[in-house]
């Protein structure tokens, strides 16, 4: 109810804003970020590049700025491209490497893995609930000359809808605030598939006239609720595969769980500020060439996961000892304070930062949930001090970035983190990026300590640190985009066939190669993305399909006199080779190993998209061939992928 009231008032404000803020401002055509086609990390509000613009008034497109966590600058983008089609989903990112479940708002299975952006601290776990979780580096800050609004809407599956709304304004040139809310409620086609999720974000940033003092921060409140079915029963699975006409309505199929649900909640406060102690000017260029800043970063983040089942009578989780219904309620809290000194000078070829961080953590339960529990501790708690440094420099056509931290000791937060990047750009011809990541950190907390009313889901482990080394290359040019990652992992932590956390004794060796190329002729285009993966060591526990491909054939043109509408019409083919995909465990909210079934199938999606001024309209038909093809499409064992589904949506920007 609180979500509904909040969303109603927010949308009412956007409607009022739209009445008064229609202008002739129009953003048209752009070139995306050089590495966008391969990392899929930029959406309609995150795109960099040059943009042609038709303006009426004093504002320019470069006045509507977006700042990432690393303070990279991009601009609000209202164009219609194929990349926008790929990102028009619940996550609002390109999910090429993910296999979604049938209902939006549910979890995703992995078709590939990325290790080049690991956090330096362990997490609570329950990873299947965190695909749509917004981390610190995913929060955006804004600077706009006029109040700005964006709203994204998409119909749900069977019943419900998805809305992502943003409102931002500057009270002055130096003070900006923004409020965003992403809400979803979708019933789903199968029983016990309801998803109801919300992501609230509020941000601000302020700087003094001479930029001597700067402060920014954000507040997030995120919740993810899912009814859990446990997948189809054996009899229902046979009816689905054999295409029994009595079960064309998927809600008639029986599921393993009828009264189970899980929820993941999180709240976070982030505050970052800096004060310039020393500033000198170059009398020729009038630019800062030497300055010294002192800064402070405060983070307070809590995460809570619980699984409930009203009547613990299901056989799929084993025996129950507790007298009450099955309930898991794990919570983690992390508080971090960082103090740093930042020195920017031509003598160090850029910006150098030395930092010290003090972190407190707590994870666990309030009480014993099972009388047969072998767990000796209710909570894992402690603190740690980390030291580190950052370095950023630009030397002619090279951009160099480095980030390192060390947490000494033998506690659960002890470990090392090192990430380095080197980027070379040759005008607009090509760009090359090389990266190296070395990480050593504790496994997620839920693999170390877990309680449940079910006897088989109680454990306390003392695992070694997970050691990860990732070497990556990205090449971008007008001819082809390509990426390569080579990863080694020691002490890889996973959940086995018995839903128990384990550490792999040997080393994981994982190779991922991805290439992208688009061919254009007249008003037609063929966009191709192909990925090859090979696990030379550790394939018994680390499983991915060998090949994944996505090919889109589409038509683009302006329609009607005066070209008021741009249209994109096309079909997307996606296929991945068969592999023993991980099974989904709703009690753990994790994916586990299984050796019984292989999954791999093709899909065809048809789309008709259009742009009228600053409004982009989307009509999509998912899995159009499902009505006459073999029923072999699954997101995980016992969880069918979606049948033919028609959905409509739009993205709309308003500027005063």
């Amino acid at each position: 109810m609180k979500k509904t009231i909040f969303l109603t008032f927010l949308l009412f404000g956007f409607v009022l804003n739209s009445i008064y803020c229609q202008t002739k401002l129009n953003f048209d055509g752009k070139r995306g970020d050089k590495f966008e086609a391969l990392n899929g990390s930029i959406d309609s509000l995150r795109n960099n590049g040059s943009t042609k613009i038709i303006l009426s008034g004093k504002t320019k497109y470069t006045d509507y700025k977006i700042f990432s966590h690393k303070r990279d600058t991009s601009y609000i983008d209202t164009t219609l491209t194929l990349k926008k089609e790929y990102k028009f989903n619940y996550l609002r990112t390109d999910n090429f490497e993910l296999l979604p479940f049938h209902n939006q708002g549910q979890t995703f299975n992995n078709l590939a893995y990325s290790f080049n952006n690991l956090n330096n601290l362990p997490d609570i776990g329950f990873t299947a609930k965190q695909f749509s979780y917004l981390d610190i580096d995913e929060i955006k800050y804004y600077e706009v000359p006029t109040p700005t609004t964006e709203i994204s809407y998409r119909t749900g599956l069977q019943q419900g809808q998805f809305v992502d709304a943003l409102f931002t304004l500057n009270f002055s040139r130096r003070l900006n605030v923004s409020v965003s809310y992403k809400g979803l409620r979708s019933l789903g086609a199968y029983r016990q598939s309801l998803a109801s999720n919300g992501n609230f974000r509020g941000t601000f940033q302020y700087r003094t006239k001479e930029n001597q003092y700067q402060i920014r921060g954000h507040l997030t409140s995120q919740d993810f609720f899912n009814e859990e079915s446990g997948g189809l029963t054996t009899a229902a699975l046979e009816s689905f595969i054999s295409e029994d006409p009595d079960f064309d309505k998927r809600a008639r199929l029986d599921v393993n769980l009828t009264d189970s649900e899980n929820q993941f909640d999180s709240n976070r406060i982030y505050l970052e500020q800096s004060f310039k102690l020393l500033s000198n000017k170059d009398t020729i260029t009038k630019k800062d060439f030497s300055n010294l800043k002192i800064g402070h970063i405060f983070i307070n983040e809590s995460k809570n996961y619980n699984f409930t089942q009203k009547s613990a009578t299901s056989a799929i989780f084993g025996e129950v000892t507790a007298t009450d219904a099955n309930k898991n309620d794990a919570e983690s809290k992390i508080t971090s304070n960082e103090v740093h000194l930042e020195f920017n000078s031509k003598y160090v070829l850029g910006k150098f930062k030395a930092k010290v961080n003090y972190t407190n953590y707590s994870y666990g339960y309030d009480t014993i949930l099972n009388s047969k529990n072998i767990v000796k501790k209710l909570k894992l708690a402690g603190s740690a001090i980390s030291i580190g440094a950052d370095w950023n420099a630009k030397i002619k056509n090279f951009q160099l970035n480095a980030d390192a931290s060390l947490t000494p000791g033998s506690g659960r937060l002890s470990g090392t983190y090192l990430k380095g990047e080197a980027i070379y750009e040759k005008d607009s011809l090509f760009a090359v990026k090389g990266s190296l990541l070395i990480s050593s950190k504790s496994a997620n907390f839920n693999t170390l300590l877990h309680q449940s009313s079910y006897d088989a889901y109680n454990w306390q482990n003392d695992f070694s640190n997970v050691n990860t080394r990732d070497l990556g290359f990205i090449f971008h040019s007008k001819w082809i985009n390509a990426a390569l990652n080579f990863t080694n992992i020691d002490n890889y932590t996973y959940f086995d066939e018995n839903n128990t956390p384990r550490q792999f004794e040997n080393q994981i060796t994982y190779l991922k190669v991805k290439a992208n190329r688009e061919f254009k002729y007249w008003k037609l285009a063929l966009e191709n993305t192909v990925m090859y993966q090979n696990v030379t060591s550790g394939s018994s526990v680390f499983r991915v399909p060998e090949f994944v491909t996505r090919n889109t054939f589409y038509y683009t043109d302006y329609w009607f006199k005066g070209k008021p509408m741009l249209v994109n019409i096309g079909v997307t083919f996606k296929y991945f080779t068969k592999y023993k995909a991980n099974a989904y465990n709703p009690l753990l909210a994790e994916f586990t190993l299984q050796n019984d079934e292989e999954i791999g199938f093709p899909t065809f999606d048809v789309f008709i998209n259009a742009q009228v001024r600053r409004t982009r309209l989307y009509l999509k038909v998912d899995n159009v061939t499902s009505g006459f093809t073999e029923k072999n499409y699954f997101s995980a064992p016992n969880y069918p992928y979606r049948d033919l589904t028609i959905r409509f949506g739009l993205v709309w920007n308003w500027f005063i």
Side-chain angles (χ1 to χ4, degrees):
M1 180 62 69
K2 291 181 180 179
K3 290 184 187 177
T4 304
I5 295 173
F6 173 80
L7 191 56
T8 301
F9 277 104
L10 191 61
L11 294 179
F12 179 69
F14 292 149
V15 172
L16 291 179
N17 185 37
S18 67
I19 294 174
Y20 294 102
C21 68
Q22 297 299 319
T23 70
K24 295 181 180 179
L25 186 64
N26 183 36
F27 299 171
D28 181 24
K30 61 159 208 50
R31 184 179 183 87
D33 181 88
K34 287 187 168 21
F35 305 110
E36 175 189 0
L38 294 164
N39 60 23
S41 62
I42 303 174
D43 64 15
S44 62
L45 289 177
R46 303 177 186 174
N47 235 329
N48 299 317
S50 58
T51 306
K52 297 178 181 179
I53 188 165
I54 301 172
L55 283 172
S56 176
K58 297 181 180 180
T59 58
K60 297 179 292 185
Y61 81 96
T62 52
D63 295 330
Y64 292 83
K65 299 177 181 178
I66 306 169
F67 300 99
S68 70
H69 176 68
K70 294 182 178 180
R71 302 187 185 275
D72 296 326
T73 305
S74 56
Y75 308 105
I76 292 179
D77 169 28
T78 65
T79 61
L80 178 68
T81 64
L82 181 63
K83 293 183 177 66
K84 300 291 184 63
E85 157 65 23
Y86 291 154
K87 296 171 184 175
F88 191 69
N89 52 53
Y90 170 58
L91 297 182
R92 300 202 71 184
T93 59
D94 188 345
N95 58 8
F96 172 75
E97 297 184 1
L98 298 175
L99 177 58
F101 276 42
H102 93 276
N103 191 16
Q104 59 182 352
Q106 288 185 298
T107 188
F108 297 79
N109 217 333
N110 285 95
L111 297 177
Y113 294 88
S114 295
F115 298 95
N116 57 356
N117 197 29
L118 295 178
N119 293 323
N120 56 356
L121 294 176
D123 187 50
I124 185 176
F126 309 105
T127 56
K129 298 290 291 184
Q130 297 198 61
F131 281 97
S132 53
Y133 182 78
L134 296 177
D135 249 320
I136 291 175
D137 60 354
E138 295 177 281
I139 303 299
K140 302 298 177 181
Y141 303 86
Y142 302 89
E143 182 181 302
V144 292
T146 61
T148 300
T149 301
E150 181 182 272
I151 184 168
S152 176
Y153 169 83
R154 194 182 194 190
T155 54
L157 202 66
Q158 299 298 319
Q159 297 177 16
Q161 54 276 320
F162 158 75
V163 175
D164 191 1
L166 162 73
F167 176 72
T168 180
L169 78 160
N170 270 60
F171 288 103
S172 69
R173 183 179 292 273
R174 295 176 280 109
L175 174 61
N176 173 274
V177 297
S178 74
V179 178
S180 311
Y181 184 78
K182 180 166 70 171
L184 172 132
R185 187 174 178 86
S186 185
L187 180 63
Y190 295 84
R191 295 166 60 186
Q192 281 288 117
S193 298
L194 173 67
S196 179
N197 303 337
N199 303 73
F200 170 80
R201 299 94 74 196
T203 75
F204 79 96
Q205 61 174 354
Y206 170 77
R207 55 187 172 85
T208 57
K209 274 190 175 182
E210 300 297 330
N211 295 333
Q212 186 173 27
Y213 176 73
Q214 298 184 45
I215 184 172
R216 66 174 181 174
H218 69 252
L219 169 70
T220 64
S221 180
Q222 306 181 66
D223 58 276
F224 311 100
F225 169 84
N226 292 93
E227 290 182 341
E228 295 292 353
S229 68
L232 299 181
T233 63
T234 301
L237 192 62
E238 292 177 356
S239 299
F240 172 80
I241 296 174
S242 64
E243 303 183 51
D244 189 331
D246 292 336
F247 295 95
D248 286 342
K249 291 185 178 181
R250 300 309 189 191
R252 295 179 178 177
L253 292 168
D254 290 330
V255 294
N256 287 306
L257 302 174
T258 58
D259 57 358
S260 299
E261 59 192 39
N262 59 24
Q263 177 142 357
F264 187 93
D265 299 314
S266 174
N267 294 289
R268 181 174 66 239
I269 298 174
Y270 177 88
L271 187 64
E272 179 181 355
Q273 54 187 330
S274 65
F275 183 80
K276 190 178 294 185
L277 300 173
L278 175 66
S279 177
N280 293 321
K281 297 285 186 180
D282 187 322
T283 57
I284 298 177
T285 63
K286 302 298 183 183
K287 294 182 179 179
D288 288 347
F289 78 93
S290 179
N291 64 64
L292 179 65
K293 291 181 182 179
I294 185 172
H296 172 250
I297 299 175
F298 170 78
I299 303 172
N300 183 274
E301 185 173 42
S302 65
K303 295 181 178 181
N304 179 277
Y305 171 79
N306 68 72
F307 173 90
T308 57
Q309 187 178 6
K310 294 179 182 178
S311 57
T313 57
S314 172
I316 66 173
F317 298 133
E319 296 183 359
V320 178
T321 297
T323 56
D324 59 349
N326 180 44
K327 183 178 181 181
N328 297 34
D329 194 357
E331 183 179 28
S332 77
K333 294 181 179 179
I334 291 182
T335 302
S336 173
N337 281 278
E338 178 186 298
V339 177
H340 58 259
L341 284 174
E342 182 181 299
F343 186 66
N344 184 10
S345 171
K346 60 184 180 182
Y347 301 111
V348 295
L349 300 176
K351 182 171 61 178
F352 182 82
K353 179 194 293 185
K355 54 189 178 182
V356 178
N357 186 292
Y358 180 75
T359 302
N360 280 303
Y361 75 95
S362 172
Y363 162 82
Y365 302 80
D366 292 330
T367 186
I368 295 293
L369 301 179
N370 190 306
S371 60
K372 292 184 178 180
N373 205 334
I374 62 172
V375 172
K376 304 299 182 182
K377 290 185 178 181
L378 287 177
K379 292 183 181 293
L380 306 176
S383 60
I385 296 177
S386 303
I387 56 175
D390 297 346
W391 180 56
N392 306 98
K394 185 172 179 63
I395 306 172
K396 294 184 178 180
N397 292 334
F398 283 94
Q399 175 69 44
L400 303 175
N401 305 309
D403 181 9
S405 68
L406 171 65
T407 306
S410 58
R412 292 184 179 86
L413 296 187
S414 64
T416 57
Y417 179 86
L418 171 64
K419 183 177 182 180
E421 295 178 341
I423 303 171
Y424 177 79
E425 184 175 353
K426 180 62 175 177
D427 301 324
S428 60
L429 296 178
F430 68 90
V432 181
K433 176 181 177 181
S435 63
L436 173 66
L437 183 139
I438 301 174
S439 168
S440 176
K441 67 175 185 178
S442 169
N444 288 335
F445 290 136
N446 69 329
T447 66
L448 304 178
L449 175 65
H450 189 269
Q451 285 198 70
S452 173
S453 301
Y454 286 102
D455 296 349
Y457 289 83
N458 295 272
W459 55 73
Q460 181 176 334
N461 296 312
D462 187 18
F463 286 152
S464 302
N465 274 11
V466 180
N467 303 316
T468 306
R469 297 167 295 279
D470 182 87
L471 179 65
F473 297 94
I474 297 179
F475 175 79
H476 171 86
S477 73
K478 62 181 180 180
W479 304 284
I480 192 171
N481 303 317
L484 180 148
N485 283 89
F486 184 75
T487 308
N488 286 325
I489 309 173
D490 294 321
N491 302 321
Y492 175 69
T493 307
Y494 63 99
F495 288 87
D496 65 13
E497 300 90 331
N498 298 317
N499 306 298
T500 304
R502 302 289 185 190
Q503 281 199 314
F504 190 54
E505 296 180 352
N506 301 317
Q507 187 179 89
I508 302 289
T509 304
Y510 171 49
L511 173 68
K512 180 173 70 173
V513 181
K514 184 160 56 171
N516 170 268
R517 174 70 193 273
E518 185 175 54
F519 301 92
K520 291 186 176 181
Y521 173 74
W522 187 52
K523 300 173 183 179
L524 304 175
L526 177 63
E527 194 273 354
N528 308 280
T529 302
V530 179
M531 180 170 64
Y532 167 76
Q533 301 177 103
N534 187 13
V535 182
T536 57
S537 175
S539 59
S540 61
V541 298
F542 190 93
R543 298 169 179 175
V544 291
E546 188 174 12
F547 286 100
V548 182
T549 181
R550 180 180 64 192
N551 312 90
T552 300
F553 181 73
Y554 67 104
Y555 160 87
T556 302
D557 193 17
Y558 285 95
W559 282 7
F560 307 115
K561 186 177 180 180
K563 299 182 178 180
M565 177 185 290
L566 175 68
V567 297
N568 271 350
I569 303 175
V571 58
T572 297
F573 167 78
K574 186 174 181 179
Y575 171 74
F576 59 95
T577 54
K578 288 188 176 182
Y579 76 114
K580 292 181 179 178
N582 289 337
Y584 174 59
N585 186 308
L587 189 155
L588 290 174
E590 296 279 6
F591 284 88
T592 66
L593 291 182
Q594 61 86 26
N595 294 304
D596 299 324
E597 298 183 32
E598 287 190 333
I599 293 175
F601 59 92
T603 58
F604 289 89
D605 302 332
V606 175
F607 61 88
I608 304 175
N609 304 332
Q611 178 188 10
V612 180
R613 295 177 62 81
R614 296 181 305 279
T615 304
R616 284 84 72 203
L617 306 173
Y618 297 86
L619 178 66
K620 188 170 185 178
V621 185
D622 294 326
N623 202 9
V624 295
T625 60
S626 63
F628 53 84
T629 58
E630 183 182 357
K631 296 298 182 291
N632 63 347
Y633 44 87
F634 290 87
S635 301
N638 298 345
Y639 285 88
Y641 182 68
R642 65 176 65 104
D643 298 310
L644 185 148
T645 305
I646 302 175
R647 282 183 289 178
F648 167 78
L650 61 86
V651 179
W652 194 359
N653 289 92
W654 302 308
F655 306 88
I656 292 181

